[in-house]
Amino acid sequence: TFEYTTGTLTITPRAVAVAISDGTKVYGASDPVLGYSITDGTLFGDDAFAGTPVRADGEHVGVYEITQGTLDLGPNYALTVTTGSFEITKATLSVTPDDTSRTYGDADPSFTYAVTGFQLGDTDGTAAAYGAPTCSSETTAGTPVGAYPITCAGGTADDYTFEYTTGTLTITPRAVAVAISDGTK
């Protein structure tokens, strides 16, 4: 005769290791979808991940950690996660000098410029506070009539790099009125 007792089958969580993919974006752009990949183990059947990785808060230029966030496989898996990094790089500000003119013999005027490309509510005043660019021309009061380049340089801002275009300084003829003297002989 046979006598039976009950044994126990213990099902343990399946080990799966995941690496969070590194990411990047330009300051002011929307975050891309954060990715990940399985580095060890496999999923069973139609099982799938739920949730997503999450990066540390912050919108300024720098490197932020990406963690597991809500990424999960449920109680049937022992999930090990390797974090990733997310880099925010500088956006580009375009500096365009305003075209201007002056009369031959006069000193150069103060050069002005327009800045475009601000992100996230930043303004020209914000960038100027970091260090505004300056514009100049290589002309002197004695430079002859003609068109000459206005160039800009400098400028620093935490979240931006500067890109410069060239403007034009037009030197116009100096107006001179002459009266011819009457003569006699």
Side-chain angles (χ1 to χ4, degrees), residues 48-148:
F49 286 92
T52 58
V54 175
R55 77 168 178 89
D57 289 340
E59 288 302 321
H60 293 284
V61 169
V63 178
Y64 300 85
E65 184 179 35
I66 305 171
T67 59
Q68 180 176 348
T70 60
L71 188 65
D72 190 37
L73 283 172
N76 291 329
Y77 291 88
L79 185 60
T80 304
V81 178
T82 302
T83 61
S85 63
F86 189 85
E87 182 177 13
I88 299 176
T89 60
K90 291 185 175 193
T92 300
L93 290 179
S94 295
V95 179
T96 305
D98 297 321
D99 292 340
T100 190
S101 63
R102 70 165 173 86
T103 303
Y104 170 75
D106 290 350
D108 283 345
S110 294
F111 296 110
T112 57
Y113 56 86
V115 181
T116 56
F118 290 106
Q119 301 293 324
L120 301 176
D122 292 341
T123 64
D124 191 25
T126 306
Y130 296 134
T134 57
C135 299
S136 62
S137 180
E138 293 185 12
T139 58
T140 64
T143 301
V145 169
Y148 300 91

Side-chain angles (χ1 to χ4, degrees), residues 13-19 37-45 49 73 77-80:
R14 187 180 192 96
V16 173
V18 171
S37 60
I38 296 175
T39 57
D40 190 36
T42 59
L43 301 185
F44 174 76
F49 286 92
L73 283 172
Y77 291 88
L79 185 60
T80 304

Side-chain angles (χ1 to χ4, degrees), residues 1-26:
T1 63
F2 290 90
E3 183 178 277
Y4 302 96
T5 58
T6 303
T8 302
L9 170 64
T10 302
I11 301 175
T12 58
R14 187 180 192 96
V16 173
V18 171
I20 305 294
S21 304
D22 292 340
T24 186
K25 76 170 185 173
V26 174

